[in-house]
């Protein structure tokens, strides 16, 4: 189903929409297109995967996981989790506001806050919940938000759910962003606060905007800034603190959201900021107030992953070496990519509409990667998105490049 059909489909009545979507799904199954995958074993550079419609697992190279530093199977972290299960059990039994909060949660929140130069933080079960948390806890319908047009779906959904007036902007065109602000201010209600959010490392292509200029513009216009650094933590900065450290901007945004499920290899997310802003989230954000606190083993996993990040800086160094090596190999073979400094490499093909077919073919040949298609990216910007790990070897990278190259040639897309 192409993007035009998807757009038209969303306008259909509910029952017709369900029937048409399910029918399209069945056709994709019959064609052998990717309809979901099930993994087996610990997340690593090589894993076993199978299609949801198949029964047989196959060994594949994994270039589609966000476990950038290879933490998900680290022996030190696993030992800490096992110890936490023995000491604390498997769950907190309630929300942080009532019974699901401990000194371990508090210590971890302070540690996570310090990574951005902030005073405090709140832990949540996922990045999706974290973005719901700050929108719901800080904003009301008198306020206004201007969000990065590349923002994660969770940000967009949070804005819609809260009913906050919104505008979008292209972070690559900060002149236009700055020119838009007086017009927005003129149309705002008395006392309205303007918020703005932007991605640190863009999730779809790994690029980084001119964050310093963006912050300067927001400061001059009394705009509260929120950085989504889900893909920056652990991949950027001298010690892995993320985009803010990488650009020497620690403490320069009002809030920072990041996840613990990517570089840290665990689960959960957090929002950090000043004592006052985090107080607002703890006491007035429904996604935080009415969600069970992170389980103690998860808290232990995140804390242990931070230990490893601090004590094994060579992991991030290897990740950067792998990224540069794979970028060089792809470009030398004629691929159109965007060079970034984090763990993401997008590949654009010379023929539109082939990304899904190429992804299916490389999977059959032993390579697990992801594609970005509409509505995740504009209709003419589909791509294969590779996520690298510090644990990938040069041989594995060479093998992956050859598999992608052969598939692209078969579809005359390079």
């Amino acid at each position: 189903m192409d993007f035009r059909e998807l757009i038209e489909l969303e306008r259909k009545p509910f029952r017709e929409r369900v029937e048409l979507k399910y029918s399209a799904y069945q056709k994709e199954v019959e064609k052998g297109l990717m309809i979901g995958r099930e993994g087996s074993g610990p997340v690593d550079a090589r894993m076993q995967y199978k299609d949801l419609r198949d029964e047989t697992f196959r060994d594949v190279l994994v270039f589609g996981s966000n476990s950038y530093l290879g933490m998900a199977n680290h022996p030190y972290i696993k030992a800490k989790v096992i110890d936490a299960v023995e000491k604390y059990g498997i769950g907190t039994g309630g929300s942080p506001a009532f019974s699901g909060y401990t000194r371990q949660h508090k210590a971890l929140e302070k540690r996570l806050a310090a990574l951005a130069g902030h005073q405090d933080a709140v832990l949540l079960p996922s990045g999706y919940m974290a973005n719901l948390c700050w929108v719901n806890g800080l904003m009301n319908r008198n306020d206004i938000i201007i969000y990065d047009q590349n923002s994660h779906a969770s940000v967009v959904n949070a804005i819609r759910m809260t009913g906050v007036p919104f505008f979008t902007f292209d972070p690559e065109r900060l002149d236009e962003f700055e020119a838009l602000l007086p017009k927005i201010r003129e149309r705002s209600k008395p006392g309205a606060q303007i918020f703005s959010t932007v991605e640190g490392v863009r999730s779809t292509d790994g690029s980084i905007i001119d964050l310093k200029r963006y912050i300067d513009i927001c400061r001059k216009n009394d705009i509260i800034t929120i950085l989504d650094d889900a893909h920056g933590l652990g991949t950027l900065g001298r010690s892995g603190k993320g985009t803010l450290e990488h650009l020497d901007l620690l403490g320069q945004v009002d809030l920072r959201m990041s996840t613990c499920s990517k570089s840290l290899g665990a689960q959960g997310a957090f929002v950090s900021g000043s004592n006052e802003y985090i107080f607002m989230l703890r006491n007035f954000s429904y996604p935080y107030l009415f969600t069970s606190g992170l389980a103690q083993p998860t808290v232990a996993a995140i804390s242990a992953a931070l230990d490893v990040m601090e004590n094994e800086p060579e992991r991030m160094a290897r990740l950067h070496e792998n990224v540069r090596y794979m970028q060089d190999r792809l470009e030398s073979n004629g691929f159109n990519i965007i060079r970034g400094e984090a763990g993401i490499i997008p590949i654009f093909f010379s023929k539109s509409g082939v990304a899904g077919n190429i992804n299916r073919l490389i999977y059959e040949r032993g390579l697990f990667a992801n594609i970005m298609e509409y509505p995740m990216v504009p209709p003419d910007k589909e791509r294969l998105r590779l996520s690298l790990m510090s644990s990938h070897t040069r041989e594995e990278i060479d093998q992956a490049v050859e598999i992608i190259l052969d598939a692209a040639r078969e579809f005359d897309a390079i």
Side-chain angles (χ1 to χ4, degrees):
M1 185 176 296
D2 67 21
F3 73 92
R4 298 174 190 85
E5 293 173 309
L6 282 171
I7 293 171
E8 185 62 31
L9 186 56
E10 292 304 323
R11 299 170 179 158
K12 302 288 185 183
F14 171 71
R15 295 188 184 281
E16 185 178 356
R17 195 163 69 244
V18 172
E19 181 180 351
L20 289 171
K21 283 187 175 182
Y22 190 70
S23 174
Y25 167 83
Q26 294 290 356
K27 289 178 181 177
E28 289 187 348
V29 172
E30 292 169 6
K31 291 178 181 178
L33 296 177
M34 301 302 297
I35 52 136
R37 288 173 282 202
E38 178 183 334
S40 175
V43 174
D44 215 329
R46 290 182 180 271
M47 286 181 63
Q48 287 198 328
Y49 270 94
K50 73 175 186 68
D51 284 2
L52 295 184
R53 61 188 174 86
D54 291 339
E55 296 300 323
T56 304
F57 285 91
R58 69 177 73 198
D59 292 317
V60 295
L61 280 170
V62 178
F63 280 77
S65 169
N66 295 323
S67 183
Y68 300 117
L69 299 183
M71 299 281 204
N73 195 34
H74 196 289
Y76 170 80
I77 299 173
K78 291 194 291 186
K80 289 291 185 180
V81 171
I82 292 168
D83 184 52
V85 171
E86 294 293 336
K87 286 184 178 179
Y88 307 113
I90 60 171
T92 57
S95 73
F98 298 97
S99 60
Y101 192 76
T102 68
R103 67 174 63 185
Q104 285 76 26
H105 289 82
K106 183 176 182 179
L108 177 57
E109 287 173 341
K110 292 293 185 181
R111 191 175 181 184
L112 292 169
L115 296 176
H118 286 151
Q119 294 174 314
D120 202 0
V122 288
L123 281 163
L124 291 114
S126 68
Y128 209 109
M129 290 292 288
N131 280 328
L132 291 178
C133 174
W134 68 257
V135 175
N136 181 272
L138 297 179
M139 303 186 68
N140 63 31
R141 295 186 182 185
N142 290 322
D143 297 323
I144 294 171
I145 187 164
I146 313 170
Y147 68 90
D148 177 352
Q149 66 181 20
N150 306 292
S151 291
H152 193 269
S154 56
V155 174
V156 180
N157 283 0
I159 292 166
R160 290 174 177 170
M161 290 167 63
T162 308
V164 177
F166 63 86
F167 298 84
T168 64
F169 75 101
D170 183 347
E172 299 293 339
R173 299 180 177 180
L174 290 178
D175 287 340
E176 295 178 10
F177 171 68
E178 189 168 21
L180 177 66
L181 300 181
K183 300 174 185 177
I184 294 176
R185 186 71 71 183
E186 288 174 7
R187 297 169 60 181
S188 64
K189 297 179 181 179
Q193 177 63 55
I194 298 178
F195 295 73
S196 183
T197 182
V198 71
E199 287 194 323
V201 175
R202 188 173 297 165
S203 60
T204 57
D205 61 29
S207 61
I208 304 171
I209 69 159
D210 185 351
L211 188 60
K212 184 180 186 309
R213 186 174 175 221
Y214 166 78
I215 293 171
D216 289 342
I217 292 170
C218 289
R219 278 183 172 172
K220 284 192 299 184
N221 290 274
D222 187 32
I223 296 174
I224 292 175
T225 51
I226 303 95
L227 178 70
D228 182 336
D229 209 26
H231 293 271
L233 178 63
T235 67
L236 292 176
R238 292 180 299 278
S239 57
K241 293 178 181 177
T243 307
L244 294 174
E245 183 182 39
H246 178 64
L247 299 175
D248 197 23
L249 294 170
L250 288 173
Q252 300 302 300
V253 293
D254 294 297
L255 295 121
R256 196 266 286 265
M257 189 288 294
S258 194
T259 60
C260 307
S261 56
K262 296 179 175 64
S263 289
L264 300 184
Q267 186 181 10
F270 62 95
V271 182
S272 64
S274 68
N275 287 329
E276 292 83 0
Y277 290 155
I278 300 305
F279 162 82
M280 292 287 289
L281 300 186
R282 286 193 198 283
N283 292 278
F284 299 100
S285 177
Y286 280 14
Y288 178 79
L289 284 169
F290 298 103
T291 299
S292 291
L294 283 185
Q296 288 279 22
T298 302
V299 172
I302 298 167
S303 300
L306 292 174
D307 292 342
V308 174
M309 189 176 77
E310 293 171 4
N311 296 327
E312 299 181 18
E314 64 272 15
R315 285 179 174 267
M316 189 171 66
R318 283 200 303 270
L319 172 67
H320 292 166
E321 290 171 4
N322 284 345
V323 169
R324 288 191 295 267
Y325 180 73
M326 191 164 204
Q327 288 169 341
D328 291 343
R329 291 282 286 109
L330 289 166
E331 285 185 331
S332 68
N333 280 285
F335 284 107
N336 177 21
I337 67 170
I338 293 176
R339 294 188 75 103
E341 298 175 75
I344 298 169
I345 303 177
I347 301 178
F348 302 89
F349 299 104
S350 60
K351 183 186 292 185
S352 63
V354 299
N357 291 318
I358 289 175
N359 192 40
R360 174 67 198 182
L361 184 56
I362 65 174
Y363 174 70
E364 290 176 349
R365 295 175 178 176
L367 175 61
F368 169 22
N370 291 307
I371 54 170
M372 293 281 167
E373 297 178 297
Y374 179 84
M376 291 180 284
V377 294
D380 58 342
K381 298 293 184 181
E382 64 170 12
R383 69 211 56 181
L384 189 71
R385 189 186 79 168
L386 306 177
S387 298
L388 274 80
M389 301 184 200
S390 61
S391 53
H392 283 129
T393 65
R394 291 288 174 95
E395 292 75 19
E396 288 168 340
I397 293 172
D398 288 340
Q399 185 180 351
V401 171
E402 290 303 318
I403 291 172
I404 298 168
L405 180 61
D406 289 344
R409 283 172 174 163
E410 290 194 27
F411 285 95
D412 193 26
I414 186 173

